[in-house]
Amino acid sequence: MRYIIRRVLLLLLTGWAALTINFALPRLMPGSPIQVMAAKYTGRLTPSALAAIAQALGLKNKQNVFVQYWTYLGHTLTGNFGYSLSEYPTKVSTLLAQNLPWTLGLVGFATVVAFVLGTFIGAVAAWRRGSLFDSIVVPTGMMLAAMPSFWISTMAIYFLSYKLGWFPLFGGSSSGSLTSVAGLGSILSHAALPAMVLAVISLGGFMLVMRNTTVSVMSDDYVKFARAKGLRNFTVASRYAARNATLPVVTNFALALGTVVAGTIFVEYVFSYPGIANLLYIAVTSEDYPLMQAIFLVIVLAVLLANFVADMLYVVLDPRIRVGGRA
Amino acid sequence: MKGFLHNKKALAGLSIIVFFGLVALLAPLLDPYNPNDFNFMPWLGPSSAHWLGTTGQGQDELSWLLYSARDSMLIALSTAGVISVVQLLFGIFSGYTGGLTDGVLSTVTNVFLVLPGLPLLIVIDAYLPNKGTVTTVFILTITGWAWGARVLRSQAISLRDRPFMEAARMSGERRWRIVLFNVVPNMFGVLAANFFGAAVYAVLTEAGLLFLGVINVNTISWGSMLYWAQAGSAMLENKWLPMLLPGVCILLLGTGFGLLNFAVDEVADPRLRRG
């Protein structure tokens, strides 16, 4: 119970920290980049819209910072992110709702594939430590972990899409209707390459962590005892070693998720995928600060929630946490 | 140290780093042209004058590629250095001091651990007016220090109650002396592993930020080479070498630092060694 309470507190604290960073950054920066932005958009936006945005970003310093902070918290928690500058008068929330499903599909698929495949390969490599398979897995895992995701995406699109024509070149779909059978096929064929690239990028970390923790676990007494009892190799590997080795992998989920998020930003950018990460890039390059702030928050909150779920999964996997108060 | 030099991973990693270090140092001698010379025809194919052809802006690709080793090495070593110092201070204050200080600092670490780094970097960058090397090292440190800090903290905690520490305290040693001569030397293994881990992170992240064009793309660097290839539609010109080679270099340098990180871990933790 203590463990769960601590995790909930950490979730709230990190959520609050993210909100506060988002509020403080534009106000802390030297040389007021927001004034530059305001000058850029003057004439394109109505004065009242500009005034509202300026207020949201802390450009009007007449108001007390604490009052601004309070208004900001209220607006953010009710999902009121204001208007996008580059797509004015579209609301930021509308853009988010349009782009979010694409990213969720891409990331969901890639993470599950990378996790399942990565832990499996890692466990097998550890079990056959010193074998040919292991000596291929370790350097490959390190190469994958060091692989610049933007580069592997560029290479994949150049050779597989442009040269060989196996996959569409860019975008999320080329069909007008998204709900028909043809539309669905188009969505899947467009998602195939970016999803595979993202899965490959995320694979290395899971693989290495699983291999190393399994290696440590295998020298533990209970594994030796299980072997001494004469249990079948497969039973020892899957029920004794792998199950305990999965715990640190779940703990390392936070790190792995960072790789996935970074990978998504590059993959969506290179493939011009209509997801939220590409939207972040567009917002940054067009100095659309309200949109950028909202996307940053959405990404951070999604990561925090995923981590929280991983922590709760830990409770299911490890009975010690449920019984004792050990965190 | 002897075990380290007998480790295959360490030797492989070390050779890669020394190779790129030499290229970085000797770049002005190795370069056939000045990488900032824009006077050639754009998008020339590979020839005896330009082994890798020229960029869309009319620079010699090979000169750019070789000179870029400087930027990546500089960013990797300086960022890893700054991160190591931050982590060491953090680990000592948090782990060795304990109590309320530890509680507050650990919470800060946990917050930074779960905040996704790249979006944070991009957002900070978007607001920054000046985007030089120092700024890059600074923001890479902000987003990259937390992971290793936790490892150093647990190391400091495990040191705190060892008999030789007790002895040092009993004999009336001053606190800073204990920290400097008893704690810090015992952290070298973890610190070195973290240093190389941070170097991998710095090389990859800086290249990524350059590729996206959110930091100064006029730096002579592998990331900016990829940026200009992408911006100049190298793909449509069928120029795949300027897209392939910078990536290979980033990958190799990253793997080199990664191998060293792994090797230090193995030497420090006998359980990971090959049985």
Side-chain angles (χ1 to χ4, degrees), chain A residues 215-252:
Chain A
V215 166
S216 306
V217 162
M218 271 166 51
S219 57
D220 277 344
D221 289 340
Y222 63 89
V223 174
K224 282 187 193 140
F225 182 67
R227 280 207 222 217
K229 276 202 296 189
L231 289 177
R232 281 189 309 143
N233 249 343
F234 179 76
T235 316
V236 182
S238 60
R239 306 240 333 251
Y240 285 71
R243 181 157 181 197
N244 283 285
T246 326
L247 293 176
V249 179
V250 173
T251 319
N252 276 327

Side-chain angles (χ1 to χ4, degrees), chain A:
Chain A
M1 233 12 239
R2 246 181 76 194
Y3 173 83
I4 297 179
I5 293 171
R6 279 174 69 163
R7 291 294 128 174
V8 172
L9 284 180
L10 184 67
L11 175 72
L12 293 177
L13 187 72
T14 31
W16 171 77
L19 279 170
T20 308
I21 290 174
N22 215 11
F23 173 83
L25 267 179
R27 290 167 172 81
L28 283 177
M29 287 301 168
S32 188
I34 293 152
Q35 249 133 24
V36 180
M37 180 274 300
K40 184 180 157 188
Y41 281 100
T42 309
R44 281 204 264 160
L45 301 178
T46 60
S48 65
L50 211 62
I53 291 156
Q55 187 182 10
L57 292 170
L59 191 60
K60 276 189 175 169
N61 293 322
K62 287 170 202 159
Q63 220 176 11
N64 185 318
V65 171
F66 296 102
V67 178
Q68 287 182 37
Y69 186 56
W70 191 247
T71 328
Y72 159 81
L73 283 182
H75 280 176
T76 312
L77 293 177
T78 50
N80 176 359
F81 297 112
Y83 293 93
S84 157
L85 293 177
S86 54
E87 299 276 329
Y88 195 79
T90 316
K91 276 194 166 181
V92 168
S93 45
T94 314
L95 289 172
L96 288 179
Q98 265 171 21
N99 285 265
L100 202 54
W102 295 95
T103 303
L104 287 179
L106 200 64
V107 173
F109 173 80
T111 317
V112 170
V113 168
F115 181 80
V116 172
L117 217 60
T119 43
F120 178 73
I121 296 175
V124 173
W127 194 251
R128 305 193 177 283
R129 184 154 65 133
S131 71
L132 181 69
F133 183 70
D134 183 35
S135 58
I136 294 171
V137 162
V138 173
T140 313
M142 260 178 307
M143 288 267 271
L144 286 180
M147 191 81 86
S149 35
F150 47 93
W151 174 70
I152 197 77
S153 318
T154 320
M155 288 291 109
I157 207 172
Y158 178 73
F159 287 108
L160 301 180
S161 300
Y162 184 68
K163 279 278 157 191
L164 297 170
W166 291 355
F167 299 96
L169 265 178
F170 59 83
S173 151
S174 51
S175 165
S177 146
L178 294 181
T179 42
S180 66
V181 176
L184 194 66
S186 175
I187 291 174
L188 288 180
S189 74
H190 279 80
L193 191 58
M196 276 194 286
V197 169
L198 195 56
V200 166
I201 294 164
S202 326
L203 190 68
F206 286 119
M207 222 157 80
L208 285 183
V209 173
M210 186 63 186
R211 183 211 171 251
N212 283 349
T213 51
T214 312
V215 166
S216 306
V217 162
M218 271 166 51
S219 57
D220 277 344
D221 289 340
Y222 63 89
V223 174
K224 282 187 193 140
F225 182 67
R227 280 207 222 217
K229 276 202 296 189
L231 289 177
R232 281 189 309 143
N233 249 343
F234 179 76
T235 316
V236 182
S238 60
R239 306 240 333 251
Y240 285 71
R243 181 157 181 197
N244 283 285
T246 326
L247 293 176
V249 179
V250 173
T251 319
N252 276 327
F253 196 71
L255 184 72
L257 214 57
T259 320
V260 176
V261 169
T264 313
I265 291 180
F266 291 124
V267 167
E268 285 193 4
Y269 166 64
V270 172
F271 286 89
S272 310
Y273 206 72
I276 200 170
N278 196 26
L279 195 62
L280 174 68
Y281 176 76
I282 294 168
V284 167
T285 42
S286 59
E287 284 164 334
D288 189 342
Y289 292 105
L291 184 59
M292 184 181 86
Q293 286 204 313
I295 296 173
F296 175 71
L297 264 188
V298 169
I299 294 178
V300 172
L301 293 183
V303 169
L304 294 184
L305 276 178
N307 263 306
F308 184 72
V309 171
D311 283 335
M312 290 303 108
L313 203 66
Y314 201 90
V315 180
V316 178
L317 285 172
D318 190 349
R320 281 173 297 187
I321 286 179
R322 267 172 289 163
V323 181
R326 225 173 59 104

Side-chain angles (χ1 to χ4, degrees), chain B residues 150-215:
Chain B
R150 209 160 62 159
V151 186
L152 279 169
R153 172 177 169 269
S154 21
Q155 178 79 356
I157 289 176
S158 79
L159 284 172
R160 198 170 51 192
D161 306 320
R162 302 261 181 93
F164 71 92
M165 296 289 288
E166 203 62 44
R169 274 194 290 268
M170 290 304 220
S171 65
E173 289 271 27
R174 285 190 197 178
R175 209 168 167 170
W176 65 266
R177 238 192 103 87
I178 296 182
V179 167
L180 216 57
F181 292 101
N182 294 343
V183 181
V184 174
N186 280 300
M187 286 189 158
F188 269 151
V190 184
L191 205 57
N194 279 348
F195 179 89
F196 295 124
V200 177
Y201 157 80
V203 168
L204 289 179
T205 313
E206 191 237 7
L209 290 174
L210 278 169
F211 173 75
L212 287 177
V214 292
I215 54 179

